[in-house]
């Protein structure tokens, strides 16, 4: 009987000049019992409806995308044999767990109290992580069928989890120059808005700098 030996300690072998084919997670199917009710719920969260496709009485597929998310969810009729409400561990990463929880409550959603874990596999403890350690603070909520979502606060990404488009600066001077251009553009942005201070300026700066690097339209 033959056997196969896996070399776990070695990196994947790549042919010179090639790289692994991109495989991007685009959508996850969640099981629901009432497509119309679920549509109303996720629209109420402020998620973007990307499509609603109906084929007769046996098939309906909707796609919703959470704000700022590169991935979406699908639900409807005739999509999955999974029991409605059986999905759990659906992560929604946020930069401020308390603000995200308050926003959801403002949309009429019942959200758990914030809790944290001292590390992977550790028991849940009430309240936000005392040092606001990234990846450690959580809250949960459910959709009308009981599919459970997990909010996770992430303030500093693990190595390898950052889009290279956001870090492609050759030097500190280049980064400083990009920030200066963003600052000047943001000043014009505030003028166009009646001189009112933009409390969300860090996000605006980041959006401007990434758009500038990738050749996308600059924010106004």
């Amino acid at each position: 009987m033959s056997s196969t030996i896996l070399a776990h300690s070695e990196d994947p072998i790549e042919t010179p000049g090639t790289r692994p084919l991109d495989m991007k997670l685009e959508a996850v199917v969640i099981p629901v019992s009432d497509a119309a009710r679920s549509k109303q719920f996720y629209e109420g969260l402020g998620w973007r409806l990307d499509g609603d496709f109906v084929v007769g009485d046996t098939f309906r597929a909707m796609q919703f995308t959470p704000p700022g998310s590169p991935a979406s969810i699908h639900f409807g009729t005739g999509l999955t044999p999974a029991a409605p409400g059986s999905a759990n561990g659906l992560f929604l990463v946020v930069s401020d767990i308390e603000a995200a929880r308050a926003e959801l409550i403002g949309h009429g959603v019942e959200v758990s109290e914030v809790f944290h874990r001292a590390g992977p596999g550790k028991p849940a403890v009430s309240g936000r992580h005392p040092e606001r350690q990234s990846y450690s603070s959580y809250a949960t909520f459910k959709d009308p069928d009981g599919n459970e979502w997990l909010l996770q606060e992430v303030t500093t990404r693990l190595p390898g989890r950052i889009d290279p488009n956001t870090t492609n600066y050759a030097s500190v001077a280049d980064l400083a120059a990009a920030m200066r251009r963003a600052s000047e553009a943001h000043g014009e942005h505030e003028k166009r808005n009646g001189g009112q201070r933009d409390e969300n300026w860090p996000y605006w700066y980041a959006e401007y700098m990434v758009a500038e690097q990738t050749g996308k339209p600059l924010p106004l």
Side-chain angles (χ1 to χ4, degrees), residues 109-134:
V109 179
E110 185 175 337
V111 188
S112 76
E113 297 294 331
V114 175
F115 61 94
H116 71 274
R117 299 182 187 277
K122 299 293 185 180
V125 181
S126 179
R128 191 184 225 163
H129 191 279
E131 297 174 4
R132 203 177 173 185
Q133 180 174 292
S134 194

PDB file of all heavy atoms in Angstrom, residues 109-134:
ATOM      1  N   VAL A 109     -32.218  46.443  16.245  1.00  0.00           N
ATOM      2  CA  VAL A 109     -31.717  45.075  16.385  1.00  0.00           C
ATOM      3  C   VAL A 109     -31.374  44.802  17.851  1.00  0.00           C
ATOM      4  O   VAL A 109     -30.820  45.656  18.546  1.00  0.00           O
ATOM      5  CB  VAL A 109     -30.461  44.861  15.518  1.00  0.00           C
ATOM      6  CG1 VAL A 109     -29.916  43.448  15.683  1.00  0.00           C
ATOM      7  CG2 VAL A 109     -30.791  45.144  14.054  1.00  0.00           C
ATOM      8  N   GLU A 110     -31.694  43.606  18.315  1.00  0.00           N
ATOM      9  CA  GLU A 110     -31.325  43.186  19.672  1.00  0.00           C
ATOM     10  C   GLU A 110     -29.902  42.645  19.632  1.00  0.00           C
ATOM     11  O   GLU A 110     -29.639  41.629  18.982  1.00  0.00           O
ATOM     12  CB  GLU A 110     -32.291  42.115  20.174  1.00  0.00           C
ATOM     13  CG  GLU A 110     -32.051  41.714  21.616  1.00  0.00           C
ATOM     14  CD  GLU A 110     -33.088  40.738  22.139  1.00  0.00           C
ATOM     15  OE1 GLU A 110     -34.203  40.708  21.575  1.00  0.00           O
ATOM     16  OE2 GLU A 110     -32.785  40.007  23.096  1.00  0.00           O
ATOM     17  N   VAL A 111     -28.990  43.316  20.320  1.00  0.00           N
ATOM     18  CA  VAL A 111     -27.571  42.954  20.296  1.00  0.00           C
ATOM     19  C   VAL A 111     -27.124  42.573  21.708  1.00  0.00           C
ATOM     20  O   VAL A 111     -27.536  43.206  22.687  1.00  0.00           O
ATOM     21  CB  VAL A 111     -26.702  44.131  19.778  1.00  0.00           C
ATOM     22  CG1 VAL A 111     -25.259  43.679  19.572  1.00  0.00           C
ATOM     23  CG2 VAL A 111     -27.270  44.703  18.491  1.00  0.00           C
ATOM     24  N   SER A 112     -26.267  41.571  21.802  1.00  0.00           N
ATOM     25  CA  SER A 112     -25.760  41.157  23.109  1.00  0.00           C
ATOM     26  C   SER A 112     -24.887  42.247  23.713  1.00  0.00           C
ATOM     27  O   SER A 112     -24.453  43.177  23.019  1.00  0.00           O
ATOM     28  CB  SER A 112     -24.934  39.874  22.974  1.00  0.00           C
ATOM     29  OG  SER A 112     -23.658  40.165  22.412  1.00  0.00           O
ATOM     30  N   GLU A 113     -24.620  42.131  25.000  1.00  0.00           N
ATOM     31  CA  GLU A 113     -23.629  42.996  25.620  1.00  0.00           C
ATOM     32  C   GLU A 113     -22.249  42.654  25.057  1.00  0.00           C
ATOM     33  O   GLU A 113     -22.005  41.534  24.584  1.00  0.00           O
ATOM     34  CB  GLU A 113     -23.624  42.804  27.144  1.00  0.00           C
ATOM     35  CG  GLU A 113     -24.923  43.198  27.820  1.00  0.00           C
ATOM     36  CD  GLU A 113     -25.208  44.693  27.724  1.00  0.00           C
ATOM     37  OE1 GLU A 113     -24.236  45.477  27.654  1.00  0.00           O
ATOM     38  OE2 GLU A 113     -26.393  45.065  27.713  1.00  0.00           O
ATOM     39  N   VAL A 114     -21.350  43.608  25.087  1.00  0.00           N
ATOM     40  CA  VAL A 114     -19.983  43.367  24.618  1.00  0.00           C
ATOM     41  C   VAL A 114     -19.281  42.418  25.588  1.00  0.00           C
ATOM     42  O   VAL A 114     -19.445  42.515  26.804  1.00  0.00           O
ATOM     43  CB  VAL A 114     -19.198  44.692  24.516  1.00  0.00           C
ATOM     44  CG1 VAL A 114     -17.732  44.433  24.157  1.00  0.00           C
ATOM     45  CG2 VAL A 114     -19.844  45.603  23.462  1.00  0.00           C
ATOM     46  N   PHE A 115     -18.502  41.494  25.036  1.00  0.00           N
ATOM     47  CA  PHE A 115     -17.689  40.596  25.862  1.00  0.00           C
ATOM     48  C   PHE A 115     -16.321  40.437  25.209  1.00  0.00           C
ATOM     49  O   PHE A 115     -16.116  40.837  24.056  1.00  0.00           O
ATOM     50  CB  PHE A 115     -18.365  39.237  26.031  1.00  0.00           C
ATOM     51  CG  PHE A 115     -18.601  38.474  24.742  1.00  0.00           C
ATOM     52  CD1 PHE A 115     -17.683  37.534  24.282  1.00  0.00           C
ATOM     53  CD2 PHE A 115     -19.752  38.694  23.991  1.00  0.00           C
ATOM     54  CE1 PHE A 115     -17.895  36.830  23.111  1.00  0.00           C
ATOM     55  CE2 PHE A 115     -19.977  37.991  22.810  1.00  0.00           C
ATOM     56  CZ  PHE A 115     -19.045  37.059  22.367  1.00  0.00           C
ATOM     57  N   HIS A 116     -15.378  39.886  25.946  1.00  0.00           N
ATOM     58  CA  HIS A 116     -14.043  39.704  25.380  1.00  0.00           C
ATOM     59  C   HIS A 116     -13.456  38.372  25.811  1.00  0.00           C
ATOM     60  O   HIS A 116     -13.973  37.708  26.710  1.00  0.00           O
ATOM     61  CB  HIS A 116     -13.108  40.848  25.795  1.00  0.00           C
ATOM     62  CG  HIS A 116     -12.711  40.846  27.237  1.00  0.00           C
ATOM     63  ND1 HIS A 116     -13.490  41.438  28.216  1.00  0.00           N
ATOM     64  CD2 HIS A 116     -11.631  40.333  27.880  1.00  0.00           C
ATOM     65  CE1 HIS A 116     -12.902  41.288  29.388  1.00  0.00           C
ATOM     66  NE2 HIS A 116     -11.770  40.612  29.219  1.00  0.00           N
ATOM     67  N   ARG A 117     -12.395  37.998  25.166  1.00  0.00           N
ATOM     68  CA  ARG A 117     -11.646  36.786  25.508  1.00  0.00           C
ATOM     69  C   ARG A 117     -10.182  37.157  25.676  1.00  0.00           C
ATOM     70  O   ARG A 117      -9.647  37.961  24.920  1.00  0.00           O
ATOM     71  CB  ARG A 117     -11.801  35.721  24.425  1.00  0.00           C
ATOM     72  CG  ARG A 117     -13.244  35.271  24.202  1.00  0.00           C
ATOM     73  CD  ARG A 117     -13.339  34.172  23.147  1.00  0.00           C
ATOM     74  NE  ARG A 117     -14.731  33.845  22.815  1.00  0.00           N
ATOM     75  CZ  ARG A 117     -15.483  33.019  23.525  1.00  0.00           C
ATOM     76  NH1 ARG A 117     -14.964  32.421  24.592  1.00  0.00           N
ATOM     77  NH2 ARG A 117     -16.734  32.767  23.171  1.00  0.00           N
ATOM     78  N   ALA A 118      -9.527  36.559  26.663  1.00  0.00           N
ATOM     79  CA  ALA A 118      -8.119  36.849  26.919  1.00  0.00           C
ATOM     80  C   ALA A 118      -7.216  36.254  25.855  1.00  0.00           C
ATOM     81  O   ALA A 118      -6.060  36.635  25.715  1.00  0.00           O
ATOM     82  CB  ALA A 118      -7.711  36.318  28.297  1.00  0.00           C
ATOM     83  N   GLY A 119      -7.743  35.312  25.079  1.00  0.00           N
ATOM     84  CA  GLY A 119      -6.980  34.674  24.011  1.00  0.00           C
ATOM     85  C   GLY A 119      -7.820  33.618  23.336  1.00  0.00           C
ATOM     86  O   GLY A 119      -8.921  33.289  23.799  1.00  0.00           O
ATOM     87  N   PRO A 120      -7.341  33.045  22.214  1.00  0.00           N
ATOM     88  CA  PRO A 120      -8.099  32.006  21.509  1.00  0.00           C
ATOM     89  C   PRO A 120      -8.450  30.845  22.437  1.00  0.00           C
ATOM     90  O   PRO A 120      -7.591  30.342  23.159  1.00  0.00           O
ATOM     91  CB  PRO A 120      -7.132  31.562  20.402  1.00  0.00           C
ATOM     92  CG  PRO A 120      -6.245  32.745  20.183  1.00  0.00           C
ATOM     93  CD  PRO A 120      -6.062  33.354  21.534  1.00  0.00           C
ATOM     94  N   GLY A 121      -9.713  30.459  22.426  1.00  0.00           N
ATOM     95  CA  GLY A 121     -10.140  29.348  23.254  1.00  0.00           C
ATOM     96  C   GLY A 121     -10.397  29.684  24.706  1.00  0.00           C
ATOM     97  O   GLY A 121     -10.830  28.824  25.483  1.00  0.00           O
ATOM     98  N   LYS A 122     -10.155  30.923  25.093  1.00  0.00           N
ATOM     99  CA  LYS A 122     -10.372  31.343  26.482  1.00  0.00           C
ATOM    100  C   LYS A 122     -11.862  31.641  26.705  1.00  0.00           C
ATOM    101  O   LYS A 122     -12.589  31.957  25.764  1.00  0.00           O
ATOM    102  CB  LYS A 122      -9.535  32.586  26.802  1.00  0.00           C
ATOM    103  CG  LYS A 122      -8.036  32.386  26.657  1.00  0.00           C
ATOM    104  CD  LYS A 122      -7.509  31.413  27.691  1.00  0.00           C
ATOM    105  CE  LYS A 122      -5.982  31.317  27.604  1.00  0.00           C
ATOM    106  NZ  LYS A 122      -5.446  30.368  28.604  1.00  0.00           N
ATOM    107  N   PRO A 123     -12.328  31.557  27.937  1.00  0.00           N
ATOM    108  CA  PRO A 123     -13.747  31.820  28.208  1.00  0.00           C
ATOM    109  C   PRO A 123     -14.121  33.281  27.981  1.00  0.00           C
ATOM    110  O   PRO A 123     -13.266  34.176  28.076  1.00  0.00           O
ATOM    111  CB  PRO A 123     -13.891  31.432  29.684  1.00  0.00           C
ATOM    112  CG  PRO A 123     -12.517  31.566  30.252  1.00  0.00           C
ATOM    113  CD  PRO A 123     -11.586  31.162  29.146  1.00  0.00           C
ATOM    114  N   ALA A 124     -15.385  33.490  27.689  1.00  0.00           N
ATOM    115  CA  ALA A 124     -15.874  34.852  27.478  1.00  0.00           C
ATOM    116  C   ALA A 124     -15.958  35.583  28.809  1.00  0.00           C
ATOM    117  O   ALA A 124     -16.383  35.020  29.821  1.00  0.00           O
ATOM    118  CB  ALA A 124     -17.241  34.812  26.807  1.00  0.00           C
ATOM    119  N   VAL A 125     -15.557  36.864  28.803  1.00  0.00           N
ATOM    120  CA  VAL A 125     -15.598  37.718  29.982  1.00  0.00           C
ATOM    121  C   VAL A 125     -16.390  38.970  29.627  1.00  0.00           C
ATOM    122  O   VAL A 125     -16.239  39.521  28.532  1.00  0.00           O
ATOM    123  CB  VAL A 125     -14.179  38.106  30.448  1.00  0.00           C
ATOM    124  CG1 VAL A 125     -14.241  38.981  31.696  1.00  0.00           C
ATOM    125  CG2 VAL A 125     -13.339  36.858  30.704  1.00  0.00           C
ATOM    126  N   SER A 126     -17.228  39.424  30.522  1.00  0.00           N
ATOM    127  CA  SER A 126     -18.069  40.586  30.264  1.00  0.00           C
ATOM    128  C   SER A 126     -17.246  41.836  29.995  1.00  0.00           C
ATOM    129  O   SER A 126     -16.219  42.081  30.638  1.00  0.00           O
ATOM    130  CB  SER A 126     -19.007  40.822  31.454  1.00  0.00           C
ATOM    131  OG  SER A 126     -19.820  41.956  31.230  1.00  0.00           O
ATOM    132  N   GLY A 127     -17.708  42.637  29.037  1.00  0.00           N
ATOM    133  CA  GLY A 127     -17.083  43.922  28.751  1.00  0.00           C
ATOM    134  C   GLY A 127     -16.027  43.851  27.655  1.00  0.00           C
ATOM    135  O   GLY A 127     -15.555  42.780  27.280  1.00  0.00           O
ATOM    136  N   ARG A 128     -15.681  45.027  27.150  1.00  0.00           N
ATOM    137  CA  ARG A 128     -14.624  45.152  26.143  1.00  0.00           C
ATOM    138  C   ARG A 128     -13.282  44.769  26.748  1.00  0.00           C
ATOM    139  O   ARG A 128     -13.073  44.920  27.944  1.00  0.00           O
ATOM    140  CB  ARG A 128     -14.599  46.609  25.685  1.00  0.00           C
ATOM    141  CG  ARG A 128     -13.749  46.913  24.469  1.00  0.00           C
ATOM    142  CD  ARG A 128     -13.764  48.411  24.215  1.00  0.00           C
ATOM    143  NE  ARG A 128     -13.950  48.749  22.833  1.00  0.00           N
ATOM    144  CZ  ARG A 128     -14.314  49.951  22.396  1.00  0.00           C
ATOM    145  NH1 ARG A 128     -14.543  50.917  23.268  1.00  0.00           N
ATOM    146  NH2 ARG A 128     -14.463  50.192  21.117  1.00  0.00           N
ATOM    147  N   HIS A 129     -12.369  44.277  25.938  1.00  0.00           N
ATOM    148  CA  HIS A 129     -11.042  43.927  26.436  1.00  0.00           C
ATOM    149  C   HIS A 129     -10.431  45.146  27.135  1.00  0.00           C
ATOM    150  O   HIS A 129     -10.444  46.251  26.580  1.00  0.00           O
ATOM    151  CB  HIS A 129     -10.141  43.477  25.282  1.00  0.00           C
ATOM    152  CG  HIS A 129      -8.859  42.862  25.719  1.00  0.00           C
ATOM    153  ND1 HIS A 129      -7.769  43.622  26.103  1.00  0.00           N
ATOM    154  CD2 HIS A 129      -8.482  41.567  25.864  1.00  0.00           C
ATOM    155  CE1 HIS A 129      -6.781  42.817  26.452  1.00  0.00           C
ATOM    156  NE2 HIS A 129      -7.181  41.561  26.312  1.00  0.00           N
ATOM    157  N   PRO A 130      -9.923  45.000  28.351  1.00  0.00           N
ATOM    158  CA  PRO A 130      -9.449  46.159  29.116  1.00  0.00           C
ATOM    159  C   PRO A 130      -8.344  46.953  28.433  1.00  0.00           C
ATOM    160  O   PRO A 130      -8.212  48.155  28.679  1.00  0.00           O
ATOM    161  CB  PRO A 130      -8.953  45.529  30.431  1.00  0.00           C
ATOM    162  CG  PRO A 130      -8.741  44.091  30.118  1.00  0.00           C
ATOM    163  CD  PRO A 130      -9.773  43.745  29.093  1.00  0.00           C
ATOM    164  N   GLU A 131      -7.562  46.311  27.584  1.00  0.00           N
ATOM    165  CA  GLU A 131      -6.503  47.015  26.859  1.00  0.00           C
ATOM    166  C   GLU A 131      -6.892  47.246  25.401  1.00  0.00           C
ATOM    167  O   GLU A 131      -6.061  47.648  24.594  1.00  0.00           O
ATOM    168  CB  GLU A 131      -5.206  46.216  26.936  1.00  0.00           C
ATOM    169  CG  GLU A 131      -4.674  46.054  28.350  1.00  0.00           C
ATOM    170  CD  GLU A 131      -3.474  45.130  28.422  1.00  0.00           C
ATOM    171  OE1 GLU A 131      -3.012  44.676  27.352  1.00  0.00           O
ATOM    172  OE2 GLU A 131      -2.995  44.876  29.539  1.00  0.00           O
ATOM    173  N   ARG A 132      -8.153  46.971  25.104  1.00  0.00           N
ATOM    174  CA  ARG A 132      -8.684  47.070  23.737  1.00  0.00           C
ATOM    175  C   ARG A 132      -7.794  46.305  22.752  1.00  0.00           C
ATOM    176  O   ARG A 132      -7.489  46.778  21.669  1.00  0.00           O
ATOM    177  CB  ARG A 132      -8.844  48.523  23.312  1.00  0.00           C
ATOM    178  CG  ARG A 132      -9.887  48.664  22.199  1.00  0.00           C
ATOM    179  CD  ARG A 132     -10.147  50.083  21.793  1.00  0.00           C
ATOM    180  NE  ARG A 132     -11.018  50.119  20.634  1.00  0.00           N
ATOM    181  CZ  ARG A 132     -11.345  51.235  19.980  1.00  0.00           C
ATOM    182  NH1 ARG A 132     -10.882  52.413  20.405  1.00  0.00           N
ATOM    183  NH2 ARG A 132     -12.121  51.177  18.930  1.00  0.00           N
ATOM    184  N   GLN A 133      -7.408  45.125  23.146  1.00  0.00           N
ATOM    185  CA  GLN A 133      -6.570  44.280  22.304  1.00  0.00           C
ATOM    186  C   GLN A 133      -7.315  43.884  21.039  1.00  0.00           C
ATOM    187  O   GLN A 133      -8.460  43.458  21.083  1.00  0.00           O
ATOM    188  CB  GLN A 133      -6.162  43.035  23.080  1.00  0.00           C
ATOM    189  CG  GLN A 133      -5.273  42.062  22.327  1.00  0.00           C
ATOM    190  CD  GLN A 133      -4.825  40.944  23.239  1.00  0.00           C
ATOM    191  OE1 GLN A 133      -4.046  41.151  24.178  1.00  0.00           O
ATOM    192  NE2 GLN A 133      -5.321  39.755  22.993  1.00  0.00           N
ATOM    193  N   SER A 134      -6.663  44.036  19.900  1.00  0.00           N
ATOM    194  CA  SER A 134      -7.288  43.719  18.630  1.00  0.00           C
ATOM    195  C   SER A 134      -7.701  42.250  18.563  1.00  0.00           C
ATOM    196  O   SER A 134      -7.026  41.381  19.118  1.00  0.00           O
ATOM    197  CB  SER A 134      -6.318  44.040  17.490  1.00  0.00           C
ATOM    198  OG  SER A 134      -6.977  44.060  16.242  1.00  0.00           O
TER     199      SER A 134
END
